[in-house]
Amino acid sequence: MIDLDIDMRQYDCPFIDTTDDVDIAFSAVQWQLDTDDETLETRLIARGDSVGALENGLHTLRNHSNMTDCYVLSKRGNVAQIGTTIEETNAMRTIQRNGGYITGPFQIENGREHWRVGFDSDEDEDHTLAELERHNEFNVEDRDQFGPAALFDLLDNSSSAMRLLEGCRSLTETERETFRIASQNGYYETPRETTLGELADHFGISKTAVSMNLRRSERKILQGALSVLDDIDDESF
């Protein structure tokens, strides 16, 4: 299996057009492509920069010429869960016609869309990308190729990977940024290439505050990683 991470700009997608005009982002939760009706049904999370942006974005989305149906399932503050039906876009049709398939959720923000697309052969991949170039703008940001054993291992350990992902997502914005800058500047190298004092100067806070932010981020990430290690240990018996 060939798996591509594609950064895409479609010119006939209502979600992309909406994020061009309004400060709103969409993340797919569920999707169903009906090739007979040439439509795509989705359940998405919509997040606006504000309550007003969310309302404006949903209004813009409903009025798009390529939107068949758009309804709110639940809403709280600047976040809503919505259901939609859109007409099949050129990119969807091209991927499906050439034997491709969607392998993961897609996200849309700032006029761009990230897709995970799978193919069973290099030939299918090449034909699809060549056709996509005619009517869409895209970059292939990552490409992985899995054999049956590796793919089975990935699927068999999906729950462990999800726990590690949840640990990373539980970081606050401050914890995430502190951990990222510390890692990039060599704080975890041996010998260390930066110090707590230098990190404190970078963020304009005390060394104690930096240390606490790092410890909290490390603890959350390690908890997720340790749960994965426990699963790996269980598989070895």
Side-chain angles (χ1 to χ4, degrees):
M1 172 185 167
I2 300 162
D3 191 57
L4 301 182
D5 182 359
I6 302 179
D7 175 54
M8 171 86 68
R9 180 171 178 81
Q10 303 181 74
Y11 294 109
D12 55 354
C13 175
F15 303 114
I16 289 179
D17 288 346
T18 299
T19 63
D20 252 344
D21 299 333
V22 186
D23 291 328
I24 191 171
F26 301 98
S27 295
V29 178
Q30 297 172 322
W31 59 94
Q32 178 66 47
L33 179 63
D34 189 329
T35 54
D36 291 331
D37 288 343
E38 298 184 342
T39 58
L40 175 72
E41 295 185 18
T42 56
R43 300 292 183 273
L44 304 103
I45 301 298
R47 182 187 298 272
D49 280 5
S50 64
V51 174
L54 175 65
E55 296 297 337
N56 190 16
L58 295 180
H59 176 76
T60 302
L61 189 64
R62 289 190 185 100
N63 291 331
H64 194 281
S65 59
N66 214 23
M67 178 62 63
T68 302
D69 193 16
C70 178
Y71 51 93
V72 175
L73 296 167
S74 63
K75 184 165 58 175
R76 183 174 182 180
N78 65 325
V79 179
Q81 182 180 7
I82 64 174
T84 67
T85 302
I86 69 170
E87 296 178 13
E88 185 181 53
T89 65
N90 171 269
M92 294 179 206
R93 186 163 49 252
T94 298
I95 290 170
Q96 188 274 332
R97 186 173 57 232
N98 285 285
Y101 39 87
I102 304 299
T103 61
F106 50 89
Q107 293 84 34
I108 311 103
E109 188 172 9
N110 297 324
R112 308 290 300 187
E113 185 171 18
H114 272 90
W115 282 17
R116 300 291 306 196
V117 181
F119 299 96
D120 293 325
S121 71
D122 292 336
E123 184 178 12
D124 289 343
E125 175 193 3
D126 291 342
H127 287 164
T128 301
L129 296 183
E131 283 194 41
L132 283 176
E133 284 184 332
R134 299 174 189 170
H135 302 286
N136 305 274
E137 175 191 331
F138 69 91
N139 295 307
V140 177
E141 298 196 330
D142 195 16
R143 183 185 190 275
D144 293 312
Q145 190 158 7
F146 303 97
L151 185 58
F152 181 84
D153 189 38
L154 178 65
L155 296 174
D156 197 40
N157 289 285
S158 59
S159 60
S160 299
M162 181 60 69
R163 288 197 295 273
L164 181 58
L165 181 61
E166 288 171 351
C168 294
R169 283 178 172 164
S170 70
L171 270 63
T172 66
E173 184 176 347
T174 297
E175 291 165 355
R176 185 182 300 112
E177 184 67 7
T178 304
F179 186 69
R180 185 181 68 82
I181 293 297
S183 179
Q184 288 180 348
N185 290 357
Y187 181 75
Y188 295 102
E189 299 296 327
T190 303
R192 283 179 172 165
E193 297 174 2
T194 192
T195 65
L196 280 177
E198 290 169 335
L199 291 172
D201 290 341
H202 176 86
F203 290 105
I205 58 178
S206 68
K207 289 194 293 185
T208 300
V210 171
S211 179
M212 290 178 62
N213 288 333
L214 286 176
R215 286 180 181 276
R216 282 194 291 262
S217 62
E218 291 163 357
R219 182 172 64 252
K220 291 176 181 179
I221 293 173
L222 282 173
Q223 285 173 345
L226 287 172
S227 69
V228 174
L229 290 175
D230 287 342
D231 289 344
I232 293 174
D233 288 341
D234 291 341
E235 291 173 5
S236 64
F237 291 103

